[in-house]
Amino acid sequence: MAKAGPAGLCAAIELKKAGAPVILMDENGAPGGQLFKQIHKFFGSREHKAGIRGFDIGKELLAESIALGIDVRLDTEVVGIERGLKLWAVEKKARSYTEEAAAIVLATGATENALSFPGWTLPGVMTAGCAQTLINVHRVLPGKRVLMIGSGNVGVIVSYQLMQAGAEVVAVLEALPRLGGYGVHTAKVRRAGVPLRCSTTILRAEGKESVERAVIARLDERFQPIPGSEETLEVDTICLAVGLTPAIELSCIAGCSQIYVPELGGNMPIHDEFMRSSVDSVYVVGDLAGIEEASTAMEEGRLAGIHAAHAMGYLDEASMSAKAEETRRRLSALRQGAFGQKRFDAKRRILEKKAAV
Amino acid sequence: MSSNDYLKTMGAPSFDELERAGMLPSLADLAGRGCVCVECVEEIPCNPCETSCPQGALVVGYPITNLPVVDRSKCTLCGLCIAACPGLAITIKSVEAGNAKIRFPWEYLPLPAAGDEVEMVDRLGEAVCAGKILSVNSAAKNNRTAVVTAAFPAAFVQQVASIRRKRHGTV
Amino acid sequence: MTNEGGNRIERHPILGDASPRKEITLYFEGRAIFAREGEPIMAALVAAGVSVFRYTKKGAPRRMFCGIGRCTDCVMIVDGIPGVRTCVTTAADGMKVERQAGAGRWIVEEENSNG
Ligand SMILES: Cc1cc2nc3c(=O)[nH]c(=O)nc-3n(C[C@H](O)[C@H](O)[C@H](O)COP(=O)(O)OP(=O)(O)OC[C@H]3O[C@@H](n4cnc5c(N)ncnc54)[C@H](O)[C@@H]3O)c2cc1C
Ligand code: SF4
Ligand code: SF4
Ligand code: FES
């Protein structure tokens, strides 16, 4: 049993390949989670599907799960998990039923953080993910002149995609003194003429019925706006890319112990090297188990799928270890370098906490 | 470890930062047939440039967070790595008889067309000189990243990074 | 060109040209607007340039925020039912979509009690 972002899909695929019966439940009308919004080529190496665009990876995974005959239940929200791995699901907001599982893989993803400032509820202020969904999935432009708040990879990637969709990005603001996203992503946006402004944030959004302008200001070392540095930008859209928080609700209901790891997005369920949570036979993978990237999420999903298949008797010890080792090698390849090290260290803290429990 | 202060505040690398990463070609490298310019100075987990190169001229190795290194003696300037790089960080530049050329990746509409007069921009998106589009390659194997070639005056060869994107409604 | 006047992205460098999809009609505050079969109500409203989806009890305008069914910013009265999240509700031909004020009202009920 799983839930269907890229991590959930990969877990289900590994389980089914081993011969285990799998049900994939997703509250959305289409599986694939965030992948279908991501129209850029992925990083990583060939085994991580690098160079392939996110939505193409999504299509591949979907085709694979269909070919394998996985029981995919869309428009199905899992609202509760009781002891004994009894899952309570609601289909199309109308019919509710329970389903008993031998193992549950939770891959509920993450929620985008909001940022409050005067005017943040005005029409025209939205999360970067909302804008990304509108332009890349629904093919409509939420506005013509956009201000992006946050320079992490999400902020710069969505800025680039807004320009590809035909909008202007007026600026990308970053409260910290340094830009967060990969240099190659910021460089793309910068050479398109978009100013990337560090130590700068939004003070307020103004407009009668919707956003007409944004007032921004520079920040001092203590993150206080510097008087006199205010500027007004004419924009009709303000996108917030100020981080993600693991969507832990279901894992809490299931009784998984949590840990606070700020580098990975806040509270998240602890897990071991096979992605097992503190609750027997409940696995946690993807952004739920710490905010990283789609590529790491997919590998974590595979790891959980491989182990769950073994635990249920569909994979012998030797093939399980071999496959798990292979997956871990791919995962660690993604967690190196200056960017990866931080996440690697944070992940190790989660493992240590699990070992201590 | 270099801190890449310019890259991390301006968004694009400075000449110094490129130089330090061994990624700023000399004028001698650019002369004649020219060379591949890879501008990827951070240790990110990525290597499609390496796997796309049929000559083994572009090497990342293991771990994949190593910085890419070009062996110019092996490179045939085929340009396959330009569209393969998800960071759009690779171009090919050359200088011959006072004229410079750049082959660069392009993922916006409108797609330029051969013969178009364009504005060449630097890494910060500032216009530096006029240029002319020589060719546009949108081969299917590039997976929707076009590879565009433009010519411009040789004096600007180190600055030029791309062309100005046409603004909405000004096409 | 990309998007003549409207907010539809007809041409896209990566996604390609929009594939023709059946057009259906929604009624936003009684006004007919086009939607493309299969898209959520939110997308049709954004395409039609609707910038206010509802007003809060205090009269503050709201549109959409998360786009994936989490925040309830985008709720409207759809075919008489208030509180429907328009970002995750697929548009259907002939659907009536109204702005709601505060928690909204059941349009059918209202008509009954008035009548
Ligand atoms: C919609 C969406 C799209 C995604 N796209 C991809 C993808 O394309 N590829 C992929 O591999 N993964 C993707 N993911 C997963 C995601 O990339 C990772 O989980 C990622 O590491 C999260 O980084 P971030 O940029 O969101 O947040 P962060 O890296 O935390 O960036 C937020 C930035 O905002 C800044 N900030 C905070 N407050 C303010 C303020 N008041 N003013 C100014 N700046 C502020 C912060 O300092 C920080 O730099 C996506 C997830 C979602 C939900
Ligand atoms: S231009 Fe061709 S040969 Fe040269 S590095 Fe790129 S892919 Fe390799
Ligand atoms: S493919 Fe591009 S972004 Fe990735 S390592 Fe090579 S040059 Fe850098
Ligand atoms: S926009 Fe958030 S629920 Fe619809």
Side-chain angles (χ1 to χ4, degrees), chain A residues 39-192:
Chain A
I39 61 168
H40 55 282
K41 293 179 181 171
F42 269 44
F43 285 52
S45 64
R46 186 173 285 166
E47 55 195 16
H48 308 114
K49 303 196 184 290
I52 305 181
R53 298 185 187 275
F55 65 113
D56 288 330
I57 298 177
K59 281 186 221 158
E60 261 179 46
L61 288 178
L62 262 188
E64 192 175 355
S65 56
I66 291 166
L68 285 167
I70 292 169
D71 179 356
V72 183
R73 301 191 188 168
L74 301 175
D75 282 315
T76 301
E77 188 181 358
V78 178
V79 292
I81 295 174
E82 288 169 33
R83 235 163 307 148
L85 303 190
K86 202 193 265 170
L87 232 132
W88 190 25
V90 177
E91 187 188 278
K92 298 206 163 66
K93 299 173 196 85
R95 187 175 81 91
S96 92
Y97 60 94
T98 58
E99 197 67 75
E100 256 174 73
I104 297 179
V105 179
L106 293 175
T108 48
T111 314
E112 293 183 88
N113 297 341
L115 180 68
S116 63
F117 47 85
W120 78 281
T121 58
L122 267 179
V125 180
M126 66 194 74
T127 66
C130 182
Q132 200 184 29
T133 306
L134 284 164
I135 57 175
N136 296 344
V137 180
H138 307 313
R139 301 188 63 138
V140 291
L141 268 179
K144 304 259 194 269
R145 291 176 57 81
V146 185
L147 173 66
M148 180 66 65
I149 314 293
S151 71
N153 278 328
V154 169
V156 286
I157 291 175
V158 175
S159 293
Y160 182 64
Q161 294 175 351
L162 279 160
M163 291 190 280
Q164 291 183 305
E168 285 312 314
V169 177
V170 174
V172 177
L173 306 188
E174 173 56 60
L176 297 176
R178 289 168 75 86
L179 300 169
Y182 288 168
V184 289
H185 286 319
T186 58
K188 261 186 238 184
V189 171
R190 183 74 220 218
R191 67 174 172 264

Side-chain angles (χ1 to χ4, degrees), chain C residues 64-67 69-74 85 87:
Chain C
M64 68 249 160
F65 184 71
C66 73
R70 296 265 160 93
C71 73
T72 68
D73 239 23
C74 64
R85 292 170 303 169
C87 67

Side-chain angles (χ1 to χ4, degrees), chain A residues 40-46 48 50-53 55-56 59 141 144 160 162-169 177-194 196-198 293 329 332-340 343, chain B residues 1 3-13 39-48 51-52 62-65 83-89 105-109 121-126 141-145 161-168:
Chain A
H40 55 282
K41 293 179 181 171
F42 269 44
F43 285 52
S45 64
R46 186 173 285 166
H48 308 114
I52 305 181
R53 298 185 187 275
F55 65 113
D56 288 330
K59 281 186 221 158
L141 268 179
K144 304 259 194 269
Y160 182 64
L162 279 160
M163 291 190 280
Q164 291 183 305
E168 285 312 314
V169 177
R178 289 168 75 86
L179 300 169
Y182 288 168
V184 289
H185 286 319
T186 58
K188 261 186 238 184
V189 171
R190 183 74 220 218
R191 67 174 172 264
V194 178
L196 297 151
R197 305 180 58 172
C198 297
E293 291 171 346
R329 191 186 56 69
S332 66
L334 292 169
R335 288 188 184 140
Q336 284 168 356
F339 285 95
R343 292 182 291 165
Chain B
M1 219 198 75
S3 57
N4 293 321
D5 286 341
Y6 191 86
L7 173 65
K8 299 317 277 181
T9 51
M10 301 300 283
E39 304 197 349
C40 179
V41 303
E42 288 178 319
E43 299 175 327
I44 54 176
C46 185
N47 74 356
T51 44
S52 71
Y62 192 85
I64 60 169
T65 43
C85 165
L88 303 190
W106 186 256
E107 294 186 333
Y108 296 111
L109 289 180
V121 297
D122 64 12
R123 293 172 184 78
L124 301 184
E126 307 284 347
K141 68 170 184 298
N142 290 342
N143 190 6
R144 290 156 281 188
T145 306
S162 190
I163 59 172
R164 186 184 290 290
R165 187 171 75 96
K166 293 251 169 64
R167 294 295 142 119
H168 207 61

